[in-house]
């Protein structure tokens, strides 16, 4: 369920800088279900500290494309770390 998944994500270090604690960052990309008044799909999350989360959401140091790529990389790292730690597993 979503609550358990978010708890697992929150237990990880930031997937960009390694800081803790982290926030559960949701995708802001329409391809992930995000739209006006709609949240992204619940599984499109990344473990990000408040600093990296703010920079990716609205920072001035990265282009839109760089922010998107950093979030996507953090998402891939988050999912990989969840599998590596046995917190999620493939469905048989």
């Amino acid at each position: 369920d979503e609550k358990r998944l978010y708890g697992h994500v929150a237990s990880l270090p930031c997937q960009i800088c390694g800081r803790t604690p982290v926030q559960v960052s949701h995708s802001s990309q329409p391809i992930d279900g995000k739209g006006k008044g709609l949240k992204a799909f619940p599984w499109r999350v990344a473990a990000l500290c408040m600093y990296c989360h703010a920079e990716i959401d609205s920072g001035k140091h990265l282009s839109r494309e760089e922010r998107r790529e950093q979030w996507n990389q953090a998402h891939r790292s988050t999912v990989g770390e969840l599998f590596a730690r046995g917190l999620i597993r493939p469905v048989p």
Side-chain angles (χ1 to χ4, degrees), residues 10-78:
S11 74
L12 302 176
C14 178
Q15 296 300 295
I16 293 176
C17 72
R19 286 185 189 107
T20 57
V22 299
Q23 300 172 338
V24 178
S25 171
H26 294 84
S27 174
S28 61
Q29 300 172 52
I31 195 168
D32 294 324
K34 176 69 174 150
K36 190 171 187 165
L38 298 174
K39 273 191 163 181
F41 303 128
W43 58 88
R44 287 292 285 168
V45 292
L48 297 174
C49 72
M50 61 186 267
Y51 304 105
C52 292
H53 194 175
E55 183 61 34
I56 286 175
D57 276 356
S58 58
K60 306 290 185 238
H61 298 101
L62 302 171
S63 70
R64 175 179 281 168
E65 185 56 38
E66 289 170 326
R67 291 194 323 259
R68 186 176 308 149
E69 183 49 41
Q70 277 206 355
W71 190 90
N72 284 331
Q73 179 57 45
H75 168 70
R76 288 188 296 271
S77 295
T78 298

Side-chain angles (χ1 to χ4, degrees), residues 1-11 82 87-89:
D1 81 330
E2 289 175 36
K3 195 172 190 176
R4 189 166 60 174
L5 172 63
Y6 297 163
H8 292 326
V9 172
S11 74
L82 291 171
L87 297 172
I88 60 174
R89 55 187 158 80

